[in-house]
Amino acid sequence: MQTKIKTIFTIACLICLILAESAFAIRIKDMASLRGVRKNQLLGYGLVVGLNGTGDKSSTTFTVQGLTNMLNRMGVKVTPGQVKVKNVAAVMVTAELPPFARQGNRLDVTLSSMGDASSLAGGTLLITPLKGLDGKTYVVAQGPVSVGGFQAGGAAATVSKNHPTVGRIPRGGMVERELPLNFRDLKNLTINLHTPDFTTANRIARKINQALPNLRARAEDSATVKINMPPNDDQVGIMAKLENLEVRPDMSAKVVVDERTGTVVMGEAVRISTVAVASGALSISITEGAEVSQALPLAQGGRTVVTPKTQVEVGESKKALRLVKGGGVSIGEVVKALNALGATPRDLITILQAIKAAGALQAELEII
């Protein structure tokens, strides 16, 4: 009977450990990416037409030149002096070409005004080639512009909402050229961690070897895990299994402080050694006023005198030295110890810097 109870207790402990391990596990696809399989930035110069007088001014020479060149290519012979561009705006068109995009696929494009146009609302982008860094055209964009805002006003007042000089064309770009990548020909795959860490890279390699031992995964450094893809195998099926493997990532002890907004973020591994802290705030209040001394009604030669009056008040909160017990096993205990000081978030920033200077903060302090 005792042996059976011990066996049940051991199984229950193992189940608890497995659940605790998997509770914080993250899929490999969410913490890493495959080298060579990434998005590519595209850029192009285009013209938005059909604006209701909110386009570029005539002094915007590149808009006038671009419109003139386009009309000349279409057989309409005009000179820059004959063109008015108040209904036309020059824009830079950007997009991201996803990996494995095929001819005919559509993607979103973003338009940003280059000149002095006040709004792109109601306009239509003319056909615009989008090129990569190699100078080749991969996407062609065209379509009506969607702007999540407006601007209206007169000579003395203007009302605007959001940012009317930037717009999007959902599915406005069509892929014309594919990236030269054949996934099935890859023999060695490399996984790049988004946040480099030796412990996490080692855990990923061990997890892959446990689930897919024929891949022979190995961690090269803190950000790289290499995989030997078996020949004549189902690469897509293997990657589908691999990217859904769950691994618990490790993280370094770090405290991130934003002094502009008074934000403090602590990592799970942050620890504070036992230290005594006293925090006091000094406040100075200066009030400017004036006293008026007026002469008596029957006084000869009397005059009214204005005397400045300045009142200065200095106050300092009196806080006793408090003991912050460190060496806690959880971030909750660290937060509880710091909250016991009764400090505001901005005071807490100064306290953390002082604790770090004293060598009691066992974490990296990063100020952004």
Side-chain angles (χ1 to χ4, degrees), residues 104 111 264 335 365:
L111 292 75
V264 179
V335 173
L365 182 61

Side-chain angles (χ1 to χ4, degrees), residues 19-86:
L19 291 176
E21 180 74 17
S22 61
F24 302 100
I26 300 176
R27 296 179 302 176
I28 293 179
K29 68 189 300 182
D30 298 324
M31 70 175 72
S33 60
L34 190 63
R35 180 178 296 178
V37 180
R38 61 176 180 84
K39 296 180 180 180
N40 290 267
Q41 284 73 32
L42 304 177
L43 179 67
Y45 171 82
L47 295 175
V48 175
V49 299
L51 302 177
N52 187 19
T54 59
D56 294 333
K57 305 299 186 294
S58 298
S59 58
T60 310
T61 56
F62 52 82
T63 305
V64 176
Q65 182 180 356
L67 182 60
T68 303
N69 293 340
M70 183 196 69
L71 292 175
N72 288 332
R73 288 196 301 269
M74 298 178 67
V76 181
K77 303 300 181 181
V78 294
T79 61
Q82 298 172 326
V83 175
K84 302 295 182 182
V85 293
K86 66 177 182 178

Side-chain angles (χ1 to χ4, degrees), residues 44-360:
Y45 171 82
L47 295 175
V48 175
V49 299
L51 302 177
N52 187 19
T54 59
D56 294 333
K57 305 299 186 294
S58 298
S59 58
T60 310
T61 56
F62 52 82
T63 305
V64 176
Q65 182 180 356
L67 182 60
T68 303
N69 293 340
M70 183 196 69
L71 292 175
N72 288 332
R73 288 196 301 269
M74 298 178 67
V76 181
K77 303 300 181 181
V78 294
T79 61
Q82 298 172 326
V83 175
K84 302 295 182 182
V85 293
K86 66 177 182 178
N87 293 339
V88 182
V91 295
M92 294 302 295
V93 186
T94 58
E96 288 187 342
L97 182 64
F100 309 116
R102 301 307 179 196
Q103 288 185 0
N105 291 160
R106 288 191 169 271
L107 46 87
D108 299 344
V109 297
T110 302
L111 292 75
S112 303
S113 175
M114 293 178 57
D116 50 5
S118 58
S119 176
L120 299 179
T124 301
L125 176 70
L126 299 180
I127 186 168
T128 303
L130 304 184
K131 300 181 179 181
L133 293 178
D134 56 1
K136 298 179 180 179
T137 300
Y138 289 90
V139 173
V140 175
Q142 181 172 276
V145 182
S146 174
V147 178
F150 64 86
Q151 183 174 10
T158 302
V159 177
S160 62
K161 180 181 179 182
N162 295 337
H163 206 70
T165 55
V166 176
R168 288 178 64 84
I169 305 179
R171 295 175 55 82
M174 180 175 291
V175 179
E176 297 292 340
R177 183 192 299 269
E178 300 178 1
L179 293 173
L181 176 63
N182 191 346
F183 183 73
R184 291 189 174 274
D185 292 340
L186 298 178
K187 297 181 180 179
N188 296 319
L189 301 180
T190 302
I191 297 177
N192 295 331
L193 273 68
H194 298 158
T195 303
D197 185 86
F198 285 104
T199 304
T200 305
N202 187 48
R203 288 176 182 174
I204 291 177
R206 287 191 302 172
K207 188 69 174 182
I208 294 175
N209 289 329
Q210 291 174 2
L212 302 168
N214 58 333
L215 297 185
R216 301 193 303 276
R218 65 186 184 278
E220 294 289 327
D221 49 47
S222 63
T224 307
V225 177
K226 287 195 174 182
I227 299 172
N228 294 325
M229 188 67 69
N232 301 325
D233 211 332
D234 183 12
Q235 287 91 339
V236 175
I238 291 176
M239 286 302 304
K241 295 178 181 178
L242 188 149
E243 67 179 7
N244 284 288
L245 296 177
E246 294 185 346
V247 178
R248 184 171 61 88
D250 195 62
M251 60 185 300
S252 59
K254 179 180 288 189
V255 178
V256 180
V257 171
D258 187 350
E259 290 188 310
R260 295 185 297 273
T261 60
T263 303
V264 179
V265 179
M266 296 185 183
E268 181 185 6
V270 174
R271 298 292 181 267
I272 294 180
S273 302
T274 302
V275 65
V277 178
S279 177
L282 178 66
S283 62
I284 301 175
S285 176
I286 301 176
T287 305
E288 292 286 354
E291 289 185 350
V292 179
S293 178
Q294 194 169 13
L296 295 176
L298 300 178
Q300 297 295 328
R303 58 190 181 90
T304 302
V305 177
V306 179
T307 304
K309 181 182 178 181
T310 302
Q311 184 178 358
V312 180
E313 295 180 0
V314 179
E316 185 175 8
S317 59
K318 298 180 180 179
K319 294 185 179 180
L321 195 67
R322 300 183 65 98
L323 182 66
V324 179
K325 295 183 179 180
V329 295
S330 67
I331 186 63
E333 295 185 13
V334 175
V335 173
K336 186 184 298 183
L338 293 174
N339 285 337
L341 298 174
T344 64
R346 293 192 178 276
D347 293 335
L348 189 58
I349 293 174
T350 304
I351 293 172
L352 287 171
Q353 291 175 343
I355 293 177
K356 179 65 175 178

